[in-house]
């Protein structure tokens, strides 16, 4: 069977499963975030932390709670890494060095899961489970909470509040992420993903040589890593490692896990605004991008142009035999179009244009379907801009879901869209513009010479700014410059957009709804789907064309 | 409520909730999953393979079949090239991360091609891609059926075994695509070599 058929059948499998999940999961999530009822365990939790679940927050208070929660998360993960030598189950590893500990703490709290380190050489089991995995849950729940707050802004009328952050985060973890993770972890264990606290075992092979069998609580971490679109691997090789992803079908399963919530959230949105067609329109845009991008990456890697690929006979460098080309490209597309950043093949060794496409996926703003929550609020921000553009063309006051889009709303959405490109372009430019930094970047960090080395740097800032976390992993990022600059990029790339999304939510919630008239632009028709696709391409992708031309395009079209 | 007091209160809520989440998600959750994993002890502990009661590896983790200097031992089926440590170091999983225009990678592929053509006595153009490229994890347990079949003459020769017997063995270790369309066909090198070591001439 050739790659075309393999792609069609494997992609179809993913699409069918996601299609079956869309209504029940999306509807369930809408219920979770709208019901007045609290579970008994939740009531006990609210008493312990001192929160009245019935109280509501204005957007600035919601934001302050979110920032407080995230700051405490950063401090805790930083602390755990710094005291690693005294923690149990630390495999005799020393404390993580300051710069790296700061970078890693931010990385996991911002749902990026960029890893400047090799986990099996750096992080003991306690830091992995009690530090990193906890943030996998927390950061995912925070992302969904912000999306839900924005949807409330669109669905409420004349409301001063947008929900309660503590309730949203607690419900996200307890009712959505945790149950899904338990089920997924059990399936992964049965498949062969390890779950133990054994140290790395040294054995003698049949040839008399020596080998190592790694240990660790991997399945529990792997599950939330995909479901929460986190992506931080238990091992350096991430989802390419056979103990994280042993079979071709577990790879498909992990793809489904990382896409499940982001692709179901449009349903949640549709339910909450009382018009399921709005959800289908957003879903269509996300789906079209995913299918087109996956097909293109599969094509590029199957053709396998480039000197080394041609010499070897196929682009199999950095790919596992069991996944093959198609299993690798489907995973890579899903991972870079969400904010997951997990890899089951090394993107640094993709063909030049294939690696460029992985970058472009992130540069689209991770909205197709994007990270858990961040994908939905990201695409809604672009949708608001799209409605505004359409309004300008026909000369009418733009409205989205009955909300007037005035100067304030458009400013919020526009600033939101500008933040990430600014971070990415500035970070990349500074890496080469500051002489001392440039010496370290080209001398120490870049693994490949020339254009591809530049691509490694561009990829790093694209990944950090968009909170993706995948890498052209040849780059040595554990240098003072990258630890600091990527840390700042992740922090700003996560929380600045959230400020503007919550401000937008607050301003939309305060409005009354205007009635639909003959002049209202319908936002559930194919016409709007096309408009939104165009806006995403023009607003996001074109911003990056020049920097892509300098790296992957120049390398691939040479 | 003044906003300073409100903000301070937020931090207390954040600290308390983070502590509770750390206990519930960072300790209880992985322990519960580990307890459930006891029901599937073989998988949870790494799908270990034993010969004569001694653990010789994991069915899922690739190994190298080389001498101490890293030279391929002709009597064993060889795994793919590996960038994990000095090769198949499961304490340091990694790909090479070399791009397709990398001079280092181009040189390495040329050298591997020449070495295999010489050791296996085959046309360099017939060597399958997986034999020439390092995997993503550096721990790929599999090779393609084409690469396994390509090594038969060398292995049979080194072991004084009939080519037909070794061919039969290799064919019995070819795993097809799951459901006919998921993944690529593979041969698990360690499992094949264990069976090979039991093959009598």
């Amino acid at each position: 069977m050739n790659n075309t058929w393999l792609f069609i059948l494997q992609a179809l499998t993913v699409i069918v499963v996601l299609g079956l999940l869309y209504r029940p999961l999306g509807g369930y999530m809408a219920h979770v975030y709208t019901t007045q009822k609290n579970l008994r365990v939740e009531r006990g939790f609210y008493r312990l932390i001192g929160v009245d679940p019935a109280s509501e927050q204005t957007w600035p208070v919601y934001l302050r709670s979110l920032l407080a929660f995230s700051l405490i998360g950063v401090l805790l993960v930083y602390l755990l890494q710094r005291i690693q030598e005294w923690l149990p189950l630390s495999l005799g590893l020393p404390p993580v060095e300051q710069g790296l500990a700061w970078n890693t703490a931010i990385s996991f709290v911002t749902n990026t899961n960029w890893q400047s380190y090799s986990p099996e050489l750096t992080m003991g089991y306690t830091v992995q489970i009690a530090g990193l995995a906890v943030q996998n849950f927390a950061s995912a729940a925070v992302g969904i909470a912000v999306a839900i707050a924005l949807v409330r802004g669109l669905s409420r009328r004349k409301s001063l509040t947008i929900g309660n952050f503590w309730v949203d985060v607690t419900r996200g973890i307890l009712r959505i992420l945790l149950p899904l993770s338990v089920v997924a972890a059990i399936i992964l264990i049965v498949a062969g993903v390890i779950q133990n606290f054994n140290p790395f075992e040294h054995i003698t092979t049949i040839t008399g040589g020596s080998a190592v069998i790694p240990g660790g609580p991997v399945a529990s971490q792997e599950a939330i890593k995909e479901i929460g679109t986190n992506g931080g691997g238990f091992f350096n090789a991430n989802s390419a490692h056979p103990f994280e992803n042993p079979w071709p079908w577990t790879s498909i399963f992990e793809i489904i896990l990382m896409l499940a919530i982001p692709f179901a959230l449009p349903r949640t949105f549709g339910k909450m605004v009382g018009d399921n067609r709005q959800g289908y329109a957003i879903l269509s845009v996300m789906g079209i991008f995913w299918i087109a991008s996956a097909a293109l990456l599969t094509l590029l890697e199957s053709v396998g142009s480039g000197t080394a690929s041609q010499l070897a006979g196929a682009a199999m460098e950095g790919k596992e035999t069991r996944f093959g080309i198609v299993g690798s490209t489907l995973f890579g597309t899903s991972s870079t179009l969400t904010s997951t950043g997990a890899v089951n093949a090394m993107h640094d060794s993709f063909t030049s244009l294939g690696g460029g496409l992985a970058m472009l996926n992130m540069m689209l703003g991770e909205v197709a379907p994007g990270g858990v929550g961040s994908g939905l609020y990201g695409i809604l921000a672009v949708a608001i801009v799209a409605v505004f553009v359409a309004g300008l063309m026909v000369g009418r006051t733009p409205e989205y879901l009955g909300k007037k889009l005035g100067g304030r709303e458009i400013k919020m959405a526009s600033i939101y869209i500008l933040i990430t490109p600014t971070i990415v372009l500035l970070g990349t430019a500074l890496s080469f513009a500051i002489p001392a930094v440039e010496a370290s970047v080209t001398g120490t960090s870049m693994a490949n010479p020339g254009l591809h080395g530049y691509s490694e740097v561009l990829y790093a800032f694209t990944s950090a700014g968009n909170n993706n976390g995948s890498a052209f992993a040849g780059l040595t990022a554990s240098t003072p410059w990258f630890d600091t600059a990527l840390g700042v990029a992740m922090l700003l790339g996560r929380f600045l957009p959230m400020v503007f999304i919550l401000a937008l939510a607050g301003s939309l919630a305060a409005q009354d709804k205007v009635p639909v008239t003959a002049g209202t632009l319908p936002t559930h028709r194919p016409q709007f789907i096309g408009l939104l696709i165009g806006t995403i391409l023009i607003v996001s992708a074109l911003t990056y064309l020049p920097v892509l031309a300098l790296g992957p395009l120049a390398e691939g079209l040479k | 409520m003044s906003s300073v007091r409100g903000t301070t209160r937020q931090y207390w809520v954040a600290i308390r909730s983070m502590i509770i989440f750390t206990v519930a998600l960072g300790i209880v959750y992985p322990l519960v999953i580990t307890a459930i994993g006891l029901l599937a002890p073989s998988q949870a502990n790494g799908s270990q393979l034993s010969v004569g009661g001694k653990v010789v590896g994991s069915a899922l983790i690739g190994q190298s079949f080389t001498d101490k200097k890293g030279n391929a031992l002709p009597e064993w089926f060889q795994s793919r090239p590996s960038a994990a440590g000095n090769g198949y170091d499961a304490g340091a999983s990694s790909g090479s991360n070399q791009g397709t225009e990398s001079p280092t990678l181009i040189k390495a592929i040329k050298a591997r091609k020449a070495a295999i053509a010489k050791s296996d006595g085959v046309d360099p153009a017939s060597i399958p891609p997986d034999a020439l490229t390092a995997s993503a994890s550096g721990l790929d347990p599999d090779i393609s059926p084409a690469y396994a079949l390509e090594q038969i003459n060398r292995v049979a020769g080194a072991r004084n075994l009939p080519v037909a017997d070794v061919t039969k063995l290799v064919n019995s270790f070819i795993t097809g695509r799951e459901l006919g369309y998921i993944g690529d066909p593979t041969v698990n090198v360690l499992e094949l070599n264990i069976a090979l070591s039991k093959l009598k001439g």
Side-chain angles (χ1 to χ4, degrees):
Chain A
M1 202 170 350
N2 65 28
N3 282 350
T4 309
W5 277 107
L6 290 177
F7 170 74
I8 291 171
L9 291 172
Q10 293 185 23
L12 215 55
T13 306
V14 173
I15 292 167
V16 166
V17 176
L18 292 175
L20 291 173
L21 284 172
Y22 181 71
R23 287 169 62 165
L25 181 58
Y28 172 69
M29 290 193 287
H31 168 77
V32 165
Y33 290 106
T34 49
T35 179
Q36 303 292 322
K37 287 201 188 111
N38 297 299
L39 306 177
R40 183 181 296 177
V41 55
E42 289 170 347
R43 287 197 296 268
F45 176 76
Y46 297 137
R47 262 199 303 278
L48 279 174
I49 64 170
V51 163
D52 171 14
S55 72
E56 286 255 336
Q57 296 172 320
T58 59
W59 80 263
V61 179
Y62 198 99
L63 175 67
R64 277 206 294 273
S65 299
L66 184 155
L67 293 177
F69 184 68
S70 302
L71 178 65
I72 296 299
V74 170
L75 293 176
L76 182 67
V77 177
Y78 181 83
L79 178 76
L80 282 171
Q81 293 178 84
R82 299 290 294 152
I83 60 169
Q84 168 156 270
E85 59 185 327
W86 297 303
L87 296 174
L89 298 171
S90 287
L91 309 175
L93 291 164
V96 180
E97 177 269 320
Q98 283 179 26
L100 182 57
W102 128 274
N103 182 284
T104 305
I106 289 173
S107 171
F108 277 73
V109 171
T110 57
N111 200 258
T112 312
N113 299 42
W114 170 271
Q115 295 172 294
S116 286
Y117 57 92
S118 180
E120 49 265 61
L121 304 173
T122 320
M123 304 293 176
Y125 296 158
T126 303
V127 171
Q128 295 249 29
I129 60 173
L132 306 182
V134 174
Q135 297 309 321
N136 282 355
F137 283 99
S139 65
V142 167
I144 305 176
V146 173
I148 295 297
L150 178 60
V151 175
R152 286 194 190 113
L154 287 163
S155 65
R156 289 183 176 182
R157 295 158 182 251
K158 293 187 175 174
S159 168
L160 292 174
T161 59
I162 55 169
N164 182 317
F165 172 78
W166 304 107
V167 173
D168 289 344
V169 162
T170 307
R171 289 183 180 179
I173 291 175
L174 229 58
R175 300 195 197 185
I176 300 168
L177 299 169
L178 189 57
L180 286 175
S181 296
V182 170
V183 174
I186 293 171
I187 293 173
L188 288 171
I189 291 179
V190 172
V193 176
I194 59 171
Q195 179 75 21
N196 59 57
F197 288 93
N198 306 338
F200 283 36
E201 190 181 350
H202 292 262
I203 52 142
T204 305
T205 66
I206 49 171
T207 66
S210 61
V212 174
I213 300 181
V218 180
S220 54
Q221 192 134 332
E222 190 71 17
I224 184 59
K225 164 190 144 184
E226 311 292 358
I227 291 167
T229 60
N230 298 283
F234 193 93
F235 299 109
N236 187 46
N238 208 298
S239 287
H241 197 295
F243 277 174
E244 288 198 26
N245 193 359
W247 306 108
W249 74 263
T250 52
S251 200
I252 298 286
F253 179 60
E254 289 179 12
I255 290 171
I256 290 167
L257 290 182
M258 63 175 124
L259 296 176
I261 292 178
F263 265 125
L265 276 171
R267 179 69 177 188
T268 311
F269 158 69
K271 276 250 175 240
M272 287 178 67
V273 299
D275 182 358
N276 287 328
R277 297 172 309 175
Q278 304 293 340
Y280 282 116
I282 297 292
L283 174 73
S284 307
V285 176
M286 291 175 165
I288 288 168
F289 271 108
W290 182 80
I291 292 170
S293 184
L296 187 54
L297 185 60
T298 307
L299 177 71
L300 289 169
E301 294 303 298
S302 298
V303 169
S305 52
T307 314
S309 309
Q310 290 294 318
L311 199 59
M316 279 305 284
E317 181 71 24
K319 295 191 181 71
E320 299 282 296
T321 311
R322 61 192 180 284
F323 305 140
I325 300 273
V326 176
S328 304
T329 53
L330 269 180
F331 197 101
T333 301
S334 305
S335 177
T336 48
L337 276 174
T338 60
S339 77
T340 313
V343 294
N344 78 347
M346 292 301 140
H347 294 185
D348 212 345
S349 300
F350 274 3
T351 59
S352 305
L353 293 179
L357 184 57
M359 269 192 254
L360 183 63
N361 284 342
M362 295 185 279
M363 290 166 173
L364 288 173
E366 288 174 358
V367 293
V372 287
S374 60
L376 182 63
Y377 65 68
I379 203 166
L380 289 179
V382 186
I384 284 170
V385 171
V387 171
F388 174 70
V389 170
L392 285 184
M393 286 193 276
V394 295
R396 295 186 60 93
T397 311
E399 296 154 16
Y400 187 46
L401 304 171
K403 299 285 185 176
K404 278 204 177 117
L405 303 177
R408 183 176 158 82
E409 288 78 18
I410 295 305
K411 268 183 220 149
M412 296 297 169
S414 308
I415 296 172
Y416 169 87
I417 290 170
L418 286 173
I419 291 169
T420 314
T422 309
I423 295 169
V424 172
L425 299 177
L426 213 60
T428 310
L430 289 177
S431 299
F432 296 101
I434 307 170
V437 168
E438 196 253 345
S440 149
V441 169
T442 52
T444 310
S445 293
M446 282 165 35
N448 285 268
L451 296 172
H452 200 72
Y454 159 81
S455 295
E456 288 176 342
V457 177
L458 176 61
Y459 197 109
F461 280 99
T462 305
S463 176
N466 285 287
N467 297 139
N468 183 271
S470 67
F472 271 9
L475 186 80
T476 301
S478 56
T479 61
W481 166 249
F482 280 114
D483 276 342
T484 313
L486 294 177
V488 172
M490 289 187 279
L491 214 49
L492 297 179
R494 175 72 166 177
F495 294 111
L496 267 186
M498 283 182 170
V499 172
F500 291 97
I501 292 294
L502 289 176
L504 186 60
S507 121
L508 290 169
Q511 285 187 34
D512 197 359
K513 288 209 178 195
V514 292
V516 176
T517 65
T520 309
L521 171 77
T523 51
H524 62 272
R525 300 245 175 91
Q527 175 199 38
F528 181 73
I529 294 172
L531 177 69
L532 185 49
I533 290 174
T535 311
I536 291 172
L537 282 175
I538 292 167
V539 166
S540 313
L542 279 190
T543 317
Y544 295 101
L545 190 63
V547 287
L548 285 173
L550 289 174
L553 290 179
E555 197 186 0
L557 300 176
K558 197 164 53 180
Chain B
M1 185 162 58
S2 78
S3 85
V4 176
R5 247 181 69 209
T7 306
T8 316
R9 216 187 73 78
Q10 300 275 19
Y11 279 88
W12 274 116
V13 176
I15 289 170
R16 276 179 285 189
S17 60
M18 198 56 85
I19 290 171
I20 298 171
F21 281 142
T22 300
V23 173
L25 307 169
I27 299 172
V28 177
Y29 162 68
L31 287 181
V32 167
I33 298 296
T34 308
I36 294 171
L38 296 176
L39 299 173
S42 164
Q43 293 99 313
N45 287 305
S47 309
Q48 300 186 348
L49 295 175
S50 299
V51 174
K54 271 184 58 191
V55 176
V56 297
S58 160
L60 300 177
I61 303 282
Q63 293 182 356
S64 56
F65 297 87
T66 58
D67 64 15
K68 293 248 157 30
K69 288 178 192 151
N71 299 312
L73 295 167
E75 68 272 28
W76 298 103
F77 283 94
Q78 294 296 310
S79 305
R80 297 177 65 183
S82 161
N86 292 322
Y88 288 93
D89 179 354
S93 63
S94 179
S96 75
N97 285 310
Q98 293 295 311
T100 184
E101 302 304 332
S102 152
T104 316
L105 178 60
I106 293 166
K107 215 175 117 192
I109 290 176
K110 282 182 180 161
R112 288 165 190 159
K113 211 175 215 181
I116 293 174
K118 188 162 165 251
S119 67
D120 296 7
V122 293
D123 173 11
S126 73
I127 301 170
D130 60 305
L132 303 169
T133 51
S135 64
S137 63
L139 305 174
D140 196 335
D142 305 311
I143 53 177
S144 65
Y147 186 34
L149 295 168
E150 185 268 304
Q151 299 187 60
I152 287 175
N153 280 334
R154 185 198 73 232
V155 171
R159 288 181 174 265
N160 281 320
L161 289 169
V163 169
D165 289 8
V166 182
T167 307
K168 210 175 128 202
L169 185 74
V170 169
N171 279 321
S172 72
F173 274 87
I174 293 176
T175 307
R177 296 192 166 99
E178 292 163 352
L179 303 178
Y181 71 91
I182 297 177
D184 272 3
T186 56
V187 172
N188 184 301
V189 187
L190 179 57
E191 287 178 350
L192 172 64
N193 276 336
I194 290 174
L196 176 71
S197 69
K198 294 172 183 164
L199 206 61
K200 297 278 182 292

